[in-house]
Amino acid sequence: EVHLVESGGGSVQPGGSLKLSCAASGFTFSGRIMSWARQARGKNLEWVSSIDKDGDMKTYRESVKGRFSTSRDNTRNMMYLELTDLKTEDTAMYFCVTGHCNAAECRPDDRGQGTQVTVSS
């Protein structure tokens, strides 16, 4: 059974930083492309970033390019998302997801319980 646990969220002021973590278990982590997605209140789940199996190729939604950075550690079954220069519009519940999730559509096979990121002054 796929199990994903996100952590690291919190409340910060605009311009602040956070580092999110995702602990994965129940599947061959190193064999899966992994993604981060987020859902703001009242809005649909949207793709944030993806990282390939080896961590060599990373893609980001346009609004977070240059501010967010994703990485993974296949030896520990962990994925990370570093968020910098946070903006109020980044406020959302952030999820670690597997499966279909990209800029056009995010319908993941699995996701964790999420970790809340709140950006406000």
Side-chain angles (χ1 to χ4, degrees):
E1 179 184 357
V2 173
H3 194 49
L4 302 168
V5 180
E6 303 91 339
S7 61
S11 295
V12 296
Q13 294 184 337
S17 300
L18 288 170
K19 184 175 183 179
L20 310 184
S21 298
C22 169
S25 61
F27 64 104
T28 304
F29 181 74
S30 60
R32 301 286 292 271
I33 294 171
M34 296 294 297
S35 300
W36 286 97
R38 66 187 181 186
Q39 187 168 24
R41 187 175 298 178
K43 295 190 176 181
N44 292 331
L45 188 67
E46 66 178 21
W47 170 74
V48 174
S49 66
S50 295
I51 186 167
D52 73 348
K53 300 172 188 179
D54 297 324
D56 296 327
M57 184 175 294
K58 305 166 188 182
T59 54
Y60 302 91
R61 71 180 297 109
E62 194 63 35
S63 63
V64 309
K65 280 182 181 178
R67 301 188 298 119
F68 290 11
S69 177
T70 189
S71 60
R72 67 191 294 165
D73 183 344
N74 287 345
T75 67
R76 298 186 176 190
N77 288 0
M78 295 289 295
M79 180 174 67
Y80 307 97
L81 185 67
E82 293 191 73
L83 298 76
T84 65
D85 190 22
L86 280 160
K87 306 178 184 301
T88 55
E89 54 263 40
D90 295 319
T91 295
M93 186 73 80
Y94 283 71
F95 299 91
C96 170
V97 304
T98 67
H100 181 68
C101 189
N102 54 42
E105 183 181 55
C106 190
R107 294 180 180 272
D109 295 329
D110 304 283
R111 64 176 176 179
Q113 85 289 345
T115 187
Q116 178 68 38
V117 172
T118 302
V119 186
S120 69
S121 55

